[in-house]
Amino acid sequence: MEALRNILNEENEPLMGRKKKLYHLISPKELAPEEVAEGRKHAEMIQKLIKTPLQEMFLTRMVKAKSTIHVYVNNVMKSILKPEKIPKGVCYFFGFLDGEAAKNKITDPEILHIWKTNSLLLRYWVNILKNPEFVFDIQKTTIVDSCLNVITQAFMDGCTVTNVKLSKDAPSNKLLYAKDVMEYKIWVKEFYSNVSSQDSVNKEEMDNFLLGLSKKFKVEFNRTAALQQMLGLLKKYSKEILAIMKVNENIYIRNEAYYNIENILKLGNGEVSFPSPQEISV
């Protein structure tokens, strides 16, 4: 009876108010050293999982988010790589690259692919995809910026000529867009092929096209701001620009244009001083 009374008294005492050692079936002191080490290893693993959740835990949500925006992303990619009409500037520039390859006897198609990719898709379109605020008046949040980085990376991977086999340890964003990247690669090749099949655009035609654009937007063009930017470049690279102009094959550039630029810069004793905006008539 005394033993039963002691047990009941212990159960009625508040657990937090007593200094007791709780064991899981067996006291830690009775465990073998290897069992203690294994227990610590399991505890560390559990703590690591709590602090750093498994990547697979978010996979379902990522796939769902990707499927939600898939139509919109595909429409953007198609507008870039499958346009209804190839822009005249793209035809002219790609024709120039084809001409330079022929002039230098470059027959490797991968080199031309890299030239065109670096000059248009990676140089221009990647900036627009990653920074839509360059074109649209929008406020880009941090999470939107992260999502755009994933989409942009998929577009960049689709522009490459090599096929990289992804393992299970590859970044989740690359695994997420692996099938899409393969499709983008086909679209890029078709885009280059479509441009090559277009009628060639000569220099005179391109000049007239640019002249028409400048006249179309002449009201919106800030000539003073453009002039200031040009003067900034002249100031920074004045010696290099004049040295190249002086030996240019074109007589106009070598003579009249050279002296006009020299007068604008007001070169004297090797010092460069710029005229004020009031002194410049545009």
Side-chain angles (χ1 to χ4, degrees):
M1 293 298 293
E2 184 66 25
L4 180 60
R5 188 180 299 110
N6 291 337
I7 293 174
L8 292 174
N9 289 336
E10 287 182 359
E11 289 180 350
N12 291 330
E13 291 179 12
L15 182 61
M16 298 302 295
R18 297 176 300 176
K19 294 182 179 180
K20 291 186 177 295
K21 295 181 180 181
L22 302 179
Y23 303 125
H24 180 66
L25 300 182
I26 186 171
S27 170
K29 293 181 181 179
E30 301 176 12
L31 293 174
E34 58 271 12
E35 293 177 335
V36 174
E38 186 177 355
R40 288 176 181 172
K41 184 178 179 181
H42 290 168
E44 291 175 358
M45 184 181 299
I46 292 172
Q47 290 299 321
K48 185 177 180 181
L49 291 176
I50 293 174
K51 294 180 180 179
T52 309
L54 287 173
Q55 190 176 14
E56 289 77 5
M57 292 173 61
F58 302 101
L59 185 59
T60 304
R61 185 172 296 180
M62 291 168 62
V63 172
K64 177 64 176 176
K66 187 226 172 185
S67 63
T68 302
I69 64 172
H70 178 72
V71 175
Y72 305 101
V73 174
N74 254 22
N75 287 341
V76 172
M77 298 303 177
K78 286 180 179 179
S79 67
I80 297 172
L81 302 173
K82 292 177 173 289
E84 295 181 1
K85 184 179 180 181
I86 305 294
K88 188 168 293 187
V90 174
C91 293
Y92 174 78
F93 185 67
F94 279 18
F96 167 78
L97 293 178
D98 290 335
E100 288 298 307
K103 185 193 302 184
N104 293 280
K105 299 180 180 180
I106 297 175
T107 57
D108 188 350
E110 288 191 2
I111 294 179
L112 262 177
H113 183 103
I114 293 172
W115 283 5
K116 295 174 181 179
T117 298
N118 289 342
S119 59
L120 177 64
L121 300 184
L122 299 186
R123 174 72 66 176
Y124 177 77
W125 282 115
V126 164
N127 272 328
I128 301 300
L129 291 174
K130 182 174 170 54
N131 305 291
E133 68 273 17
F134 289 175
V135 179
F136 305 104
D137 185 13
I138 61 172
Q139 183 71 26
K140 184 174 66 174
T141 62
T142 304
I143 185 61
V144 170
D145 183 57
S146 300
C147 295
L148 289 175
N149 285 338
V150 174
I151 297 172
T152 303
Q153 184 61 55
F155 179 76
M156 294 171 64
D157 292 341
C159 295
T160 59
V161 294
T162 57
N163 293 321
V164 180
K165 188 176 181 180
L166 299 176
S167 65
K168 63 178 182 179
D169 298 323
S172 57
N173 63 303
K174 288 185 176 290
L175 294 173
L176 196 64
Y177 274 91
K179 291 183 179 180
D180 301 84
V181 166
M182 299 308 297
E183 188 174 20
Y184 296 159
K185 286 178 180 291
I186 298 174
W187 291 1
V188 169
K189 292 181 179 179
E190 290 177 349
F191 173 66
Y192 292 160
S193 177
N194 291 337
V195 175
S196 300
S197 64
Q198 301 293 312
D199 295 335
S200 59
V201 179
N202 56 42
K203 187 176 183 302
E204 183 180 358
E205 188 178 355
M206 191 63 196
D207 289 343
N208 292 333
F209 172 73
L210 294 176
L211 180 61
L213 281 181
S214 63
K215 289 181 178 179
K216 183 178 179 181
F217 299 101
K218 62 181 180 180
V219 178
E220 302 176 19
F221 183 67
N222 191 329
R223 298 166 69 180
T224 303
L227 179 61
Q228 291 293 340
Q229 291 186 10
M230 291 175 63
L231 289 176
L233 292 174
L234 284 174
K235 180 179 180 180
K236 186 175 181 179
Y237 303 105
S238 57
K239 294 181 180 179
E240 292 86 349
I241 291 174
L242 289 173
I244 293 174
M245 292 179 69
K246 197 170 185 178
V247 297
N248 195 278
E249 297 179 357
N250 189 299
I251 297 177
Y252 171 78
I253 295 177
R254 190 170 65 243
N255 295 319
E256 187 174 347
Y258 172 85
Y259 291 110
N260 286 339
I261 296 296
E262 191 178 37
N263 289 333
I264 291 176
L265 293 175
K266 292 184 177 179
L267 288 177
N269 299 324
E271 297 294 330
V272 178
S273 62
F274 283 84
S276 63
Q278 291 77 16
E279 295 176 322
I280 303 172
S281 58
V282 180

